[in-house]
Amino acid sequence: MANLPNCPKCNSEYTYEDGSLLVCPECGHEWTLGSDAEVAEDNKVFKDSNGNILIDGDTVTVIKDLKVKGTSSVIKVGTKVKNIRLVEGDHDIDCKIEGFGAMKLKSEFVKKV
């Protein structure tokens, strides 16, 4: 039998070939052999508006007034946000902003302090 790599998602050793794809029977993940896109997807890099790399726990500053959906409130330019948490999705920063509570922000509207 061919020497196939373990599944990049669950690390199962029971992978098999299905045409040009490799398939994991345990988690159902499919990928192509030699696909670096899988590795890049798992290690997504989050960058601020200036291109600085963000990590969990960073402090950032808001670079433009942001309207808070569902209210008439605005998060002002220069508001510091401490201890951010990076998540997958459209809004990739989870945080708590003093006076507003839990929020989700886009990394393109902040800069690293």
Side-chain angles (χ1 to χ4, degrees), residues 7-75:
C7 175
K9 292 282 185 187
C10 69
N11 204 27
S12 170
E13 61 185 25
Y14 302 110
T15 58
Y16 64 90
E17 287 181 290
D18 185 18
S20 64
L21 292 175
L22 293 173
V23 181
C24 175
E26 291 185 12
C27 71
H29 181 63
E30 297 178 346
W31 73 100
T32 58
L33 189 60
S35 172
D36 291 332
E38 291 298 324
V39 174
E41 181 181 311
D42 291 342
N43 298 324
K44 183 177 177 188
V45 176
F46 297 93
K47 294 185 178 184
D48 69 358
S49 61
N50 295 332
N52 298 319
I53 297 174
L54 297 171
I55 58 172
D56 285 343
D58 275 346
T59 299
V60 295
T61 303
V62 177
I63 62 166
K64 73 178 245 178
D65 286 347
L66 300 174
K67 294 180 182 176
V68 179
K69 198 172 196 174
T71 69
S72 60
S73 302
V74 176
I75 299 172

